Amino acid sequence: MGVDALDLGPGPLAREQVVAVARDGARVVLTPLAEQAIAATREHIDALAAEARPVYGISTGFGALAVRHIPGDRRAALQQSFVRSHAAGSGTAVELEVVRAQMLLRLRTIATGRTGVRPATAHALASLLNAGIVPVVHEFGSLGCSGDLAPLAAVALALTGEGEVFDAAGARRPAAEVLAEAGVEPVVLAEKEGLALTNGTDGMLGMLVLALHDLAALLDVADVTAAMTVEALLGTDRVFAADLQRLRPHPGQAVSAARMAALLAGSPIVASHRGPDCTRVQDAYSLRCAPQVHGAARDTARHAEAVADRELAAAIDNPVVLDDGRVESNGNFHGAPLAYALDFLAIPLADVASMAERRTDRMLDVARSHGLPAFLADDPGVDSGHMIAHYTQAGLVSELKRLAVPASVDSIPTSAMQEDHVSLGWSAARKLRRGVDALTSVLAVELLTAARALDLRAPLEPAPATAAVRDLLRTRVPGPGPDRHVAPEIAAAEDLIRSGAVRSTAARYL
C-alpha cells in the first residue's frame, strides 16, 4: 500500500516511508509532538546565544575555526557564510530521489528536537519537499564525515533562496525564482541552524534505503531468472528440496531455494529428464548453488537493513541538544556504520551478477547447453544470437567487481587535520547505486537468454511460473528468429524488471 502523506514526528521512520517521499512524492507534515520538541529545543539555543560565554556552533566558528568567538551582530552572517562556503560540490547533479531522501531524513532529525533549528526553518524545509522543489546537489563534496556536508549545504543554501533547484516540472532554475513562485519565504538562518542543516549522514542513509528497496526486488528476480536457466539447461530441481536446505540453516538460502522449487513446480521440461535414463549426475555450481549465493545476498541485505533501521531512529547532529538543555559536541556524524554496510552490499551484488553471467554463458555454449543451438542463434554462423548480449553482460560483471572494492577502507585528512579520519560513505553509496543498475542489466540479459532457450525447448513446455514470466517478456520482445537489434530488447527486459512486472508475475505462483 502506498503512502500518500507522512506524519513526521520525533520517532523513527520506516524504510518504506523514505521510499514513498523520495520516489512517489508523498507529502510530509510535522506532527504536534515534533512541533513541540523543535520549539522547546530552540528556547535552549536562544538562551545560550544570549550568554557571554562561547558555545560551539552557536557563538563560535566551525571546525578548525571553532576557537573564534563570534559577536551577536555577526552570527546571521556566520550562518549564511557557513552554508555558502560548504555548498562547494562539483560534478553532475545527483538523482532527484536521492536529494528528496536526504531532505526528508534531515527534517526527521530536526523533528526529534535535538538540533535547535527554529520551527519556521523546519516548516520551510517541509514546504520545499511538498512543493516538489529539489535543490541541485553535486556528485562530489562529501567525505562521509561531519555528515554529508556539501550535499546538505546545497539544500540549506536553497532554503535561503540562493543556488539552483529543480522545480516541480524538473527544470533547473535559480532557487529564488522557484521559491517565490511556490510561496516559500527564504530563510534567514539563525544561530546553530547552519550546522544543524548540514551535519548529518542523510545522503548516505537515503541511498542505502533506496538501494535496499531495489535489491530486495532484484534478488527475487535473480531467483526467477536462475530457475528459468535451470529449466532451460535441463537441470534438476531436486537440489532445492527443503530437507536438503535445512542441513545448512541460513534463512536467506531457505527462502531462495523454496522460491526456485516453487517456480519449477509442474515443469514438463524438468519432468522429461527426471527418470532413470538421465545420465546427469550433478549440475554446475551456477545452477546447483544459486540458493546458497542468492540466500547469502539476502542475509547480507538483512544486516544492512538493521543498520539502516538504527540510523532511521537516530538524531545525527553536532553539537546536539540534550533533554536538560546541554549542548554537547559528539562524533555521531561519522559515517562508518553506513559506509561499511554500503560497501558490504556491493560484494553480493557483484557475486549474484557473476553467477548469472556464468549461467547465461552455459546456455550459449553448444558444449554445455545440452542440445541448444550455438549462441541460441537462428542460423549459427549467419546469425550471432545472444553472443554480444553476453559480452555486454560480462562487461557489466567486470564493472561490478570493480565497484565491490570498498571505499570505507580509505580516508583522507581535511580541515587542517581536525577531520583527520573520514568514512567516505557517500562514495560507497554512489558506487552501490551504480551497482544496482548494473545488476538490473545483468539479470535482464539472463532473462532474455533463458526465455529464448525455453522457447527453443519446444514442444516441451516450461513450468507454469516460468512460462508466465516468459510470456510477460514476449509482450515486449519477440521469440526466437533471425538476428534483430538486441539493445532495445535488453532495455525492454530492464524495464520489466524495474517496473516490478517480472517479480509480481512470478509471485502469483509462490
Side-chain angles (χ1 to χ4, degrees):
M1 180 180 296
V3 178
D4 296 325
L6 170 61
D7 292 328
L8 188 62
L13 276 178
R15 281 174 273 120
E16 58 268 24
Q17 292 174 314
V18 177
V19 176
V21 173
R23 287 188 173 160
D24 303 329
R27 293 180 57 80
V28 178
V29 179
L30 290 167
T31 66
L33 280 177
E35 301 262 13
Q36 293 166 18
I38 293 168
T41 304
R42 185 64 206 182
E43 291 179 3
H44 293 305
I45 297 299
D46 289 339
L48 289 169
E51 293 186 2
R53 67 183 178 92
V55 180
Y56 177 68
I58 298 173
S59 53
T60 71
F62 307 114
L65 301 176
V67 293
R68 181 180 173 187
H69 181 242
I70 309 298
D73 63 352
R74 295 293 293 154
R75 289 177 191 166
L78 165 69
Q79 299 297 322
Q80 192 67 32
S81 294
F82 176 89
V83 169
R84 286 171 177 159
S85 66
H86 283 55
S90 177
T92 57
V94 303
E95 303 82 6
L96 302 190
E97 65 177 28
V98 170
V99 183
R100 285 184 60 82
Q102 74 170 22
M103 292 167 70
L104 170 66
L105 294 169
R106 185 81 316 237
L107 184 59
R108 194 212 72 83
T109 285
I110 292 169
T112 66
R114 300 296 184 184
T115 70
V117 164
R118 294 170 299 159
T121 304
H123 282 293
L125 183 53
S127 295
L128 250 64
L129 271 170
N130 292 336
I133 299 170
V134 182
V136 174
V137 171
H138 297 281
E139 175 84 13
F140 300 102
S142 173
L143 297 176
C145 206
S146 289
D148 291 317
L149 284 175
L152 285 166
V155 174
L157 189 67
L159 272 180
T160 70
E162 297 187 17
E164 289 187 307
V165 299
F166 293 99
D167 65 19
R172 183 168 173 169
R173 298 168 55 200
E177 292 179 9
V178 179
L179 265 63
E181 290 175 3
V184 178
E185 188 71 22
V187 173
V188 178
L189 298 172
E191 292 93 345
K192 179 68 170 64
E193 292 191 313
L195 271 179
L197 289 168
T198 59
N199 241 308
T201 54
D202 309 296
M204 290 177 267
L205 177 56
M207 285 186 276
L208 175 59
V209 170
L210 292 169
L212 285 168
H213 178 82
D214 293 339
L215 184 56
L218 287 175
L219 291 176
D220 282 353
V221 172
D223 290 340
V224 174
T225 59
M228 294 172 73
T229 301
V230 167
E231 199 171 19
L233 288 172
L234 306 182
T236 181
D237 60 350
R238 292 193 299 271
V239 295
F240 309 133
D243 54 356
L244 292 175
Q245 305 306 314
R246 283 194 293 270
L247 298 175
R248 196 184 194 191
H250 292 291
Q253 176 180 325
V255 169
S256 283
R259 286 172 50 82
M260 291 183 66
L263 290 164
L264 292 169
S267 169
I269 294 178
V270 173
S272 72
H273 56 89
R274 196 189 293 279
D277 294 337
C278 181
T279 59
R280 303 275 295 281
V281 177
Q282 291 182 333
D283 290 330
Y285 287 7
S286 59
L287 309 182
R288 193 184 350 152
C289 303
Q292 285 73 16
V293 172
H294 297 183
R298 289 179 183 278
D299 292 341
T300 302
R302 295 297 86 77
H303 166 71
E305 287 173 355
V307 172
D309 290 343
R310 293 185 203 112
E311 287 285 305
L312 289 169
I316 307 295
D317 196 12
N318 181 53
V320 69
V321 186
L322 300 175
D323 287 335
D324 59 5
R326 285 181 297 129
V327 178
E328 296 285 358
S329 292
N330 64 87
N332 284 337
F333 51 71
H334 199 286
L338 289 164
Y340 297 161
L342 289 158
D343 276 337
F344 193 9
L345 282 175
I347 295 172
L349 252 70
D351 202 33
V352 169
S354 179
M355 183 173 253
E357 180 274 328
R358 288 292 80 208
R359 290 191 297 263
T360 302
D361 179 62
R362 297 187 78 84
M363 287 186 282
L364 302 179
D365 183 359
V366 291
R368 295 175 293 146
S369 67
H370 304 287
L372 294 171
F375 303 105
L376 306 187
D378 186 64
D379 184 3
V382 174
D383 295 313
S384 296
H386 281 198
M387 178 191 293
I388 308 304
H390 174 242
Y391 281 30
T392 297
Q393 190 188 48
L396 288 163
V397 169
S398 290
E399 176 67 8
L400 278 159
K401 292 173 183 176
R402 290 187 288 271
L403 292 172
V405 175
S408 57
V409 296
D410 191 15
S411 179
I412 188 164
T414 53
S415 193
M417 291 298 287
Q418 177 73 3
E419 298 172 9
D420 59 350
H421 183 277
V422 297
S423 76
L424 293 171
W426 174 276
S427 301
R430 296 306 298 164
K431 68 185 182 66
L432 181 62
R433 282 184 68 83
R434 292 196 295 275
V436 167
D437 286 341
L439 177 57
T440 302
S441 299
V442 167
L443 294 177
V445 174
E446 184 179 21
L447 174 62
L448 284 171
T449 306
R452 189 180 181 101
L454 288 176
D455 282 339
L456 292 169
R457 290 295 181 192
L460 290 173
E461 284 294 318
T466 53
V469 173
R470 178 203 58 188
D471 294 344
L472 170 70
L473 181 66
R474 291 290 166 255
T475 66
R476 300 282 300 275
V477 176
D483 281 353
R484 303 181 295 262
H485 186 189
V486 179
E489 299 187 355
I490 296 174
E494 290 169 347
D495 183 60
L496 289 171
I497 291 171
R498 289 194 179 98
S499 71
V502 171
R503 188 189 196 193
S504 61
T505 297
R508 297 200 297 265
Y509 298 87
L510 299 175

